[in-house]
Amino acid sequence: MEGITEVGYWAAELESVLARVAGRFGRADLRWRMRDYVRGLLGQAARKNGWQLAEWAGHRTPDGLQRLLNSSVWDADALVDDVRAYVSESLGPGGVLIIDDTGFIKKGTTSAGVGRQYTGTSGKIDNCQIGVFAAYATRSGRALLDRELYLPKAWTSDRDRCRAAKIPDERGFATKGELARDIVRRCLATGLPATWVTADEAYGQDWHFRRLLEQLGIGYVVAVPKSQQIKSLAGIWRIDQLTEDAPANAWQRLSCGDGAKGPRVYDWAGAKLPANLIFDPDPPTHHRWVMARRSLSDPGELAYYLAYAPVGVEIAELAQVAGSRWAIEECFQAAKNECGLDQYEVRRYPGWYRHITLAMLAHAVLTALAAQAGEAAKGAAETDQPSSRSPWQRSGGSWTLSCPTHEPTATPSPTH
């Protein structure tokens, strides 16, 4: 009886979501095809491609589902607004907006945006499409909520090729960082109740990305490469050189969240930078931080971060935000394995957006159904006083950067 009740609850939730988005599809036949497509993505078909989804739905051919993706009149961007709203309601406020990209391995040269480019999906240069995505994570769960297809210059410089793939004439070249900034603006403008943003170093090293977040008044913890320059009134350093100056007692052993094998514990060091006189109010509402994460099993393995946090936030919370970035990798894995995110056969630009958005909707339903699960934040550790010659100085319960031990160039800069 309990299993029957659970199946009924799942079916009711799915029907509620499908009814919620039905207005985006102007004709009754489109609404039914959309329902069959999403149900198929959540179903047991071995692969979520046109023929198998059609077979699972009881259609004689995949023609109707292919028309849904390729030629029917409906707005995938309007549907993704519904996905964002549904995810926000299901997961609640105070979460982390996560930016990352993923690859879709493809054959041939005609699929929109396809080309030989590096993708973390295979860990090498491959023939693929790249999508830039946003996910939202709270203690209740995580789900994808926005997407953009990256178009290499080899595509945007060839307008005939673009038109053959139904890429709009107004769509020009945009870097992955520019696409990420567009996604962030949309998510926050449409009311996503996020408190933080995080991203890997491909996005974190982009000053324009960090500055946008500061202008929007949202905190961030973003990874950066070891060569990242830190510029402030206190000096200019490479972040790895700065970390080398951290005294031993500046390191704290903290969890950055639970993984498959329990808490993910690292040694962390972090210090606040002096206020930027160009951008910051007096007194400041936020502090900028530099942070480093060190592996317990291999102390030579370090990762580096820049953060922008409200006054009063300490490193234990920043470590949790940094650790939440892995939630988007879990979203990619679940959406590909369970909802066919990468199993499409469309080649044209509108078809990519439509399939991806419907797969995100399917994944959001799974997330909402599992949203009772939550994770508690883990504890913190205490620190001691450093050497007076170090640029790392204790101030209250945290560290700040003062004068460096070498002579820096102390020129005020709008970058940091």
Side-chain angles (χ1 to χ4, degrees):
M1 181 64 72
E2 182 178 345
I4 295 174
T5 301
E6 182 175 320
V7 169
Y9 172 76
W10 279 56
E13 178 68 15
L14 176 57
E15 281 305 310
S16 173
V17 173
L18 294 177
R20 175 176 181 155
V21 304
R24 301 299 186 185
F25 302 84
R27 299 200 320 260
D29 62 324
L30 289 184
R31 291 193 287 273
W32 285 112
R33 288 172 189 159
M34 177 273 295
R35 287 170 177 266
D36 286 346
Y37 199 87
V38 174
R39 288 193 184 107
L41 292 174
L42 291 168
Q44 299 300 314
R47 282 190 61 80
K48 310 296 175 70
N49 57 32
W51 272 105
Q52 295 202 31
L53 289 179
E55 196 172 90
W56 188 92
H59 297 194
R60 287 182 300 173
T61 71
D63 294 353
L65 298 184
Q66 289 172 350
R67 284 196 297 272
L68 174 72
L69 298 182
N70 292 317
S71 60
S72 300
V73 179
W74 60 278
D75 188 348
D77 289 339
L79 181 61
V80 91
D81 290 342
D82 294 338
V83 173
R84 274 198 302 271
Y86 177 57
V87 169
S88 299
E89 294 169 14
S90 300
L91 300 185
V96 182
L97 176 63
I98 311 162
I99 302 296
D100 201 358
D101 53 72
T102 190
F104 302 90
I105 308 301
K106 295 295 171 184
K107 297 179 180 178
T109 60
T110 58
S111 297
V114 75
R116 291 194 58 78
Q117 49 199 326
Y118 177 82
T119 171
T121 301
S122 61
K124 61 181 182 179
I125 294 175
D126 225 326
N127 200 62
C128 64
Q129 296 166 297
I130 300 289
V132 180
F133 285 81
Y136 183 58
T138 72
R139 293 181 181 181
S140 297
R142 67 271 301 168
L144 299 171
L145 42 64
D146 211 332
R147 73 290 177 263
E148 288 287 359
L149 178 63
Y150 171 69
L151 299 177
K153 288 182 178 179
W155 273 85
T156 57
S157 62
D158 186 342
R159 299 320 301 182
D160 289 337
R161 189 184 188 192
C162 285
R163 292 186 187 103
K166 300 298 182 183
I167 297 170
D169 286 342
E170 62 270 18
R171 176 69 195 270
F173 176 74
T175 66
K176 298 184 186 77
E178 289 169 334
L179 296 177
R181 297 201 294 275
D182 288 342
I183 288 173
V184 168
R185 290 187 190 98
R186 278 200 302 269
C187 289
L188 298 182
T190 52
L192 182 73
T195 302
W196 298 95
V197 174
T198 190
D200 68 13
E201 64 183 49
Y203 301 95
Q205 66 183 325
D206 180 0
W207 179 81
H208 297 285
F209 181 72
R210 301 195 307 272
R211 183 59 190 148
L212 171 66
L213 301 178
E214 294 176 8
Q215 290 172 326
L216 293 172
I218 189 166
Y220 62 73
V221 182
V222 293
V224 293
K226 65 180 182 180
S227 58
Q228 178 72 40
Q229 282 199 335
I230 309 300
K231 301 178 182 180
S232 78
L233 294 179
I236 300 176
W237 308 268
R238 273 177 51 131
I239 197 168
D240 59 341
Q241 296 169 344
L242 184 62
T243 301
E244 289 176 2
D245 288 336
N249 51 15
W251 292 89
Q252 305 178 50
R253 190 152 295 179
L254 300 168
S255 168
C256 62
D258 288 343
K261 299 180 180 179
R264 289 173 290 148
V265 179
Y266 296 89
D267 286 334
W268 294 82
K272 299 172 188 174
L273 289 165
N276 188 311
L277 300 181
I278 297 174
F279 295 137
D280 296 340
D282 185 17
T285 59
H286 290 69
H287 291 306
R288 294 180 187 83
W289 291 67
V290 293
M291 298 169 55
R293 187 196 72 196
R294 186 172 66 195
S295 169
L296 302 186
S297 59
D298 181 4
E301 181 184 316
L302 289 98
Y304 304 94
Y305 300 85
L306 294 177
Y308 179 75
V311 171
V313 170
E314 297 297 345
I315 190 172
E317 183 171 352
L318 300 180
Q320 290 280 326
V321 176
S324 69
R325 187 177 69 80
W326 296 106
I328 197 169
E329 299 293 345
E330 295 168 351
C331 287
F332 290 147
Q333 182 178 4
K336 289 179 179 182
N337 292 343
E338 300 171 22
C339 304
L341 184 75
D342 61 343
Q343 294 175 22
Y344 55 88
E345 295 176 334
V346 294
R347 292 191 174 94
R348 293 176 174 177
Y349 183 86
W352 186 89
Y353 276 91
R354 290 176 171 188
H355 169 83
I356 294 295
T357 305
L358 290 168
M360 287 167 52
L361 177 64
H363 179 249
V365 172
L366 295 182
T367 297
L369 289 167
Q372 302 91 340
E375 295 180 350
K378 302 301 179 181
E382 295 195 358
T383 56
D384 298 313
Q385 187 77 14
S387 163
S388 60
R389 288 183 56 81
S390 172
W392 293 64
Q393 299 293 331
R394 177 74 174 270
S395 176
S398 61
W399 301 88
T400 60
L401 289 172
S402 60
C403 295
T405 53
H406 58 283
E407 292 188 5
T409 304
T411 303
S413 171
T415 59
H416 54 274

